Amino acid sequence: MIIAVTNVKGGVGKTTTSVNLAAGFANRGKKTLLVDLDPQAHSTRCFLSGPIERDVSDFIMERPSQAHRFIHSTPYPGVDMVPATPRLTETAELLSTRIRREERLYRALAQVADDYRVVIIDCPPLLGILTHNALMAADLLLIPVQPGVGAVVGLEALLEAASELRDEDKVPYRILVTMLDLRTTHTNAIFEELIEEHRKRVLKTIIHKSESLNQANLAGKPIYLYQRSSRGAEDYDALCEELLKIRIRH
Ligand SMILES: Nc1ncnc2c1ncn2[C@@H]1O[C@H](COP(=O)(O)OP(=O)(O)OP(=O)(O)O)[C@@H](O)[C@H]1O
Ligand SMILES: [Mg+2]
Protein backbone atom coordinates (compact mmCIF):
# COMPACT_ATOMS: atom_id res chain seq x y z
CA MET A 1 0.00 0.00 0.00
CA ILE A 2 1.39 3.36 -1.04
CA ILE A 3 0.16 6.25 1.11
CA ALA A 4 0.80 9.89 0.18
CA VAL A 5 0.56 12.16 3.21
CA THR A 6 -0.46 15.38 1.60
CA ASN A 7 -2.15 18.74 2.08
CA VAL A 8 -1.36 22.00 0.33
CA LYS A 9 -1.52 23.71 3.69
CA GLY A 10 1.70 23.99 5.64
CA GLY A 11 2.25 22.90 9.22
CA VAL A 12 -0.75 20.58 9.53
CA GLY A 13 1.18 17.51 10.66
CA LYS A 14 2.18 15.83 7.40
CA THR A 15 5.74 15.13 8.47
CA THR A 16 4.80 14.16 12.02
CA THR A 17 2.28 11.72 10.58
CA SER A 18 4.68 10.31 7.98
CA VAL A 19 7.48 9.74 10.47
CA ASN A 20 5.33 8.15 13.15
CA LEU A 21 3.36 6.02 10.72
CA ALA A 22 6.62 4.68 9.29
CA ALA A 23 7.88 3.83 12.78
CA GLY A 24 4.49 2.54 13.90
CA PHE A 25 4.09 0.17 10.94
CA ALA A 26 7.65 -1.06 11.39
CA ASN A 27 6.90 -1.74 15.08
CA ARG A 28 4.14 -4.04 13.85
CA GLY A 29 6.54 -5.98 11.68
CA LYS A 30 5.38 -4.26 8.48
CA LYS A 31 8.42 -3.33 6.50
CA THR A 32 8.09 0.31 5.51
CA LEU A 33 9.69 2.64 2.99
CA LEU A 34 9.50 6.34 3.79
CA VAL A 35 9.97 8.67 0.82
CA ASP A 36 10.75 12.28 1.74
CA LEU A 37 9.44 14.44 -1.06
CA ASP A 38 9.93 17.77 0.72
CA PRO A 39 13.11 19.83 0.17
CA GLN A 40 12.83 20.88 3.83
CA ALA A 41 13.89 17.28 4.55
CA HIS A 42 12.33 17.17 8.01
CA SER A 43 11.36 13.52 7.91
CA THR A 44 14.82 12.60 6.62
CA ARG A 45 16.31 14.21 9.71
CA CYS A 46 14.28 11.89 11.94
CA PHE A 47 15.84 8.73 10.51
CA LEU A 48 19.20 9.62 8.99
CA SER A 49 22.03 11.84 10.13
CA GLY A 50 25.20 12.94 8.39
CA PRO A 51 25.72 13.91 4.78
CA ILE A 52 23.50 12.26 2.21
CA GLU A 53 24.75 11.59 -1.29
CA ARG A 54 22.12 9.53 -3.02
CA ASP A 55 18.70 11.01 -2.47
CA VAL A 56 15.15 11.31 -3.71
CA SER A 57 16.26 13.56 -6.58
CA ASP A 58 18.23 10.61 -7.97
CA PHE A 59 15.36 8.27 -7.19
CA ILE A 60 13.01 10.20 -9.45
CA MET A 61 15.45 11.47 -12.08
CA GLU A 62 17.46 8.30 -12.80
CA ARG A 63 16.06 5.36 -14.71
CA PRO A 64 13.49 3.37 -12.72
CA SER A 65 15.66 0.24 -12.94
CA GLN A 66 18.22 2.05 -10.75
CA ALA A 67 15.69 3.01 -8.05
CA HIS A 68 16.91 0.49 -5.47
CA ARG A 69 20.31 2.21 -5.37
CA PHE A 70 18.83 5.28 -3.72
CA ILE A 71 17.15 3.53 -0.82
CA HIS A 72 18.90 3.83 2.54
CA SER A 73 18.44 1.55 5.48
CA THR A 74 17.96 3.47 8.73
CA PRO A 75 18.86 2.67 12.36
CA TYR A 76 15.14 2.16 13.01
CA PRO A 77 14.43 -1.55 12.44
CA GLY A 78 11.99 -2.09 9.59
CA VAL A 79 12.20 1.45 8.18
CA ASP A 80 14.03 2.17 4.93
CA MET A 81 14.15 5.61 3.49
CA VAL A 82 14.54 7.59 0.29
CA PRO A 83 15.88 10.81 1.82
CA ALA A 84 15.48 14.39 0.65
CA THR A 85 18.10 17.11 0.49
CA PRO A 86 17.64 20.79 -0.39
CA ARG A 87 18.68 20.07 -3.95
CA LEU A 88 15.17 18.70 -4.45
CA THR A 89 14.07 22.29 -5.11
CA GLU A 90 16.22 22.45 -8.25
CA THR A 91 15.17 18.94 -9.19
CA ALA A 92 11.54 20.06 -9.18
CA GLU A 93 12.39 22.83 -11.64
CA LEU A 94 14.32 20.46 -13.84
CA LEU A 95 11.54 17.94 -13.73
CA SER A 96 9.08 20.47 -15.14
CA THR A 97 10.83 20.26 -18.49
CA ARG A 98 10.79 16.47 -18.71
CA ILE A 99 8.47 14.15 -20.54
CA ARG A 100 6.09 12.14 -18.31
CA ARG A 101 7.19 14.35 -15.49
CA GLU A 102 4.30 13.44 -13.20
CA GLU A 103 4.95 9.71 -13.49
CA ARG A 104 8.54 9.51 -12.36
CA LEU A 105 7.94 8.63 -8.74
CA TYR A 106 5.26 6.13 -9.73
CA ARG A 107 7.69 4.41 -12.09
CA ALA A 108 10.56 4.35 -9.60
CA LEU A 109 8.30 2.97 -6.85
CA ALA A 110 6.94 0.30 -9.18
CA GLN A 111 10.43 -1.21 -9.14
CA VAL A 112 10.78 -1.39 -5.35
CA ALA A 113 7.34 -1.24 -3.71
CA ASP A 114 6.94 -5.03 -3.64
CA ASP A 115 9.71 -5.21 -1.04
CA TYR A 116 7.55 -3.28 1.42
CA ARG A 117 4.19 -3.72 3.11
CA VAL A 118 3.75 0.05 3.25
CA VAL A 119 5.28 2.98 1.38
CA ILE A 120 4.74 6.44 2.86
CA ILE A 121 5.36 9.63 0.92
CA ASP A 122 5.82 12.84 2.91
CA CYS A 123 4.74 15.68 0.59
CA PRO A 124 5.69 19.35 0.53
CA PRO A 125 3.01 21.94 1.35
CA LEU A 126 2.18 23.00 -2.20
CA LEU A 127 0.50 21.63 -5.26
CA GLY A 128 3.53 21.55 -7.53
CA ILE A 129 5.22 18.91 -9.62
CA LEU A 130 6.51 16.98 -6.59
CA THR A 131 3.04 16.64 -5.11
CA HIS A 132 1.73 15.71 -8.57
CA ASN A 133 4.21 12.83 -8.55
CA ALA A 134 2.94 11.69 -5.16
CA LEU A 135 -0.69 11.92 -6.28
CA MET A 136 0.11 9.69 -9.25
CA ALA A 137 2.00 7.12 -7.21
CA ALA A 138 -0.37 6.71 -4.25
CA ASP A 139 -3.00 4.06 -3.60
CA LEU A 140 -4.39 6.28 -0.85
CA LEU A 141 -4.13 9.98 -0.09
CA LEU A 142 -3.93 10.64 3.63
CA ILE A 143 -4.86 14.26 4.22
CA PRO A 144 -4.02 15.68 7.64
CA VAL A 145 -6.31 18.54 8.60
CA GLN A 146 -5.85 20.79 11.58
CA PRO A 147 -9.16 21.90 13.06
CA GLY A 148 -9.91 25.57 12.77
CA VAL A 149 -11.17 28.16 10.37
CA GLY A 150 -10.26 27.34 6.80
CA ALA A 151 -9.13 23.84 7.75
CA VAL A 152 -10.29 22.37 4.48
CA VAL A 153 -9.20 25.15 2.15
CA GLY A 154 -7.35 23.56 -0.74
CA LEU A 155 -8.86 20.12 -0.23
CA GLU A 156 -11.01 20.29 -3.36
CA ALA A 157 -8.13 21.53 -5.49
CA LEU A 158 -5.95 18.68 -4.26
CA LEU A 159 -8.56 16.02 -5.00
CA GLU A 160 -9.31 17.56 -8.37
CA ALA A 161 -5.64 17.57 -9.31
CA ALA A 162 -5.42 13.91 -8.32
CA SER A 163 -8.44 12.91 -10.45
CA GLU A 164 -7.20 14.87 -13.41
CA LEU A 165 -3.69 13.48 -13.26
CA ARG A 166 -4.90 9.91 -12.91
CA ASP A 167 -7.85 10.26 -15.20
CA GLU A 168 -10.04 8.70 -12.52
CA ASP A 169 -13.35 10.07 -11.25
CA LYS A 170 -12.49 9.46 -7.63
CA VAL A 171 -9.15 8.97 -6.01
CA PRO A 172 -9.19 7.13 -2.68
CA TYR A 173 -8.52 9.45 0.24
CA ARG A 174 -8.98 9.72 3.98
CA ILE A 175 -8.96 12.78 6.17
CA LEU A 176 -6.99 12.71 9.42
CA VAL A 177 -7.78 15.24 12.13
CA THR A 178 -4.49 16.33 13.67
CA MET A 179 -3.39 18.56 16.52
CA LEU A 180 -6.82 18.52 18.08
CA ASP A 181 -6.93 20.57 21.25
CA LEU A 182 -9.99 19.44 23.17
CA ARG A 183 -9.80 22.52 25.37
CA THR A 184 -10.41 24.85 22.45
CA THR A 185 -12.15 22.79 19.77
CA HIS A 186 -15.08 20.43 19.86
CA THR A 187 -14.85 17.60 17.38
CA ASN A 188 -18.26 18.62 16.04
CA ALA A 189 -16.87 21.95 14.88
CA ILE A 190 -14.52 20.11 12.55
CA PHE A 191 -17.29 18.27 10.81
CA GLU A 192 -19.31 21.40 10.26
CA GLU A 193 -16.69 22.59 7.81
CA LEU A 194 -16.78 19.40 5.79
CA ILE A 195 -19.35 18.64 3.16
CA GLU A 196 -21.16 15.31 3.41
CA GLU A 197 -18.89 13.66 0.85
CA HIS A 198 -15.78 14.39 2.91
CA ARG A 199 -17.36 13.57 6.28
CA LYS A 200 -17.53 9.91 5.29
CA ARG A 201 -13.80 9.92 4.70
CA VAL A 202 -12.73 11.19 8.11
CA LEU A 203 -10.75 8.54 9.97
CA LYS A 204 -11.96 7.52 13.43
CA THR A 205 -8.52 8.02 14.86
CA ILE A 206 -7.75 11.58 15.91
CA ILE A 207 -4.27 12.87 16.60
CA HIS A 208 -4.46 15.10 19.65
CA LYS A 209 -2.28 18.07 20.24
CA SER A 210 0.50 16.84 22.49
CA GLU A 211 3.66 18.38 23.76
CA SER A 212 5.48 15.05 23.54
CA LEU A 213 4.86 14.85 19.78
CA ASN A 214 6.08 18.38 19.38
CA GLN A 215 9.20 17.70 21.46
CA ALA A 216 9.89 14.45 19.61
CA ASN A 217 9.84 16.42 16.36
CA LEU A 218 12.20 19.00 17.74
CA ALA A 219 14.52 16.21 18.83
CA GLY A 220 14.22 14.68 15.33
CA LYS A 221 12.84 11.37 16.59
CA PRO A 222 9.78 9.21 16.10
CA ILE A 223 7.61 9.38 19.21
CA TYR A 224 8.40 5.71 19.94
CA LEU A 225 12.03 6.60 20.59
CA TYR A 226 11.21 9.76 22.48
CA GLN A 227 8.34 8.85 24.77
CA ARG A 228 6.99 5.36 24.20
CA SER A 229 4.19 5.80 26.73
CA SER A 230 2.41 8.92 25.63
CA ARG A 231 -0.83 10.08 24.14
CA GLY A 232 1.02 10.78 20.89
CA ALA A 233 2.32 7.22 20.63
CA GLU A 234 -1.14 5.84 21.42
CA ASP A 235 -2.73 8.01 18.76
CA TYR A 236 -0.29 6.94 16.06
CA ASP A 237 -0.62 3.29 17.12
CA ALA A 238 -4.37 3.60 16.63
CA LEU A 239 -3.84 5.22 13.24
CA CYS A 240 -1.62 2.36 12.08
CA GLU A 241 -4.24 -0.17 13.14
CA GLU A 242 -7.04 1.72 11.42
CA LEU A 243 -5.11 2.12 8.17
CA LEU A 244 -4.14 -1.54 8.10
CA LYS A 245 -7.81 -2.44 8.30
CA ILE A 246 -9.26 -0.22 5.61
CA ARG A 247 -10.00 -1.60 2.21
CA ILE A 248 -9.26 0.97 -0.40
CA ARG A 249 -12.35 1.32 -2.52
CA HIS A 250 -12.69 5.08 -2.85
N1 LIG B 1 -0.06 16.33 17.37
C1 LIG B 1 0.76 17.38 17.55
N2 LIG B 1 0.80 18.01 18.73
C2 LIG B 1 1.60 19.08 18.92
N3 LIG B 1 2.42 19.59 17.99
C3 LIG B 1 2.43 19.00 16.77
C4 LIG B 1 1.61 17.86 16.49
N4 LIG B 1 1.82 17.49 15.21
C5 LIG B 1 2.74 18.35 14.71
N5 LIG B 1 3.09 19.26 15.65
C6 LIG B 1 4.02 20.39 15.47
O1 LIG B 1 3.49 21.26 14.48
C7 LIG B 1 4.50 21.71 13.60
C8 LIG B 1 4.15 21.29 12.17
O2 LIG B 1 4.13 19.87 12.10
P1 LIG B 1 4.68 19.09 10.83
O3 LIG B 1 6.08 19.50 10.54
O4 LIG B 1 4.41 17.65 11.05
O5 LIG B 1 3.70 19.68 9.72
P2 LIG B 1 3.86 19.63 8.13
O6 LIG B 1 2.47 19.60 7.61
O7 LIG B 1 4.77 18.53 7.74
O8 LIG B 1 4.57 21.00 7.85
P3 LIG B 1 5.15 21.48 6.41
O9 LIG B 1 3.96 21.90 5.64
O10 LIG B 1 6.08 22.61 6.74
O11 LIG B 1 5.86 20.31 5.80
C9 LIG B 1 5.81 21.12 14.11
O12 LIG B 1 6.44 22.07 14.93
C10 LIG B 1 5.35 19.93 14.93
O13 LIG B 1 6.27 19.66 15.99
MG1 LIG C 1 6.46 18.55 6.47
Side-chain angles (χ1 to χ4, degrees), residues 26-45:
N27 292 347
R28 287 167 172 68
K30 317 286 179 203
K31 207 174 163 207
T32 301
L33 177 67
L34 174 60
V35 179
D36 192 352
L37 207 57
D38 187 343
Q40 298 179 94
H42 289 157
S43 55
T44 297
R45 206 171 54 89

Side-chain angles (χ1 to χ4, degrees), residues 5 9-16 18 36 38 40-43 122-125:
V5 183
K9 284 190 103 177
V12 294
K14 294 183 289 296
T15 298
T16 307
S18 301
D36 192 352
D38 187 343
Q40 298 179 94
H42 289 157
S43 55
D122 183 15
C123 293

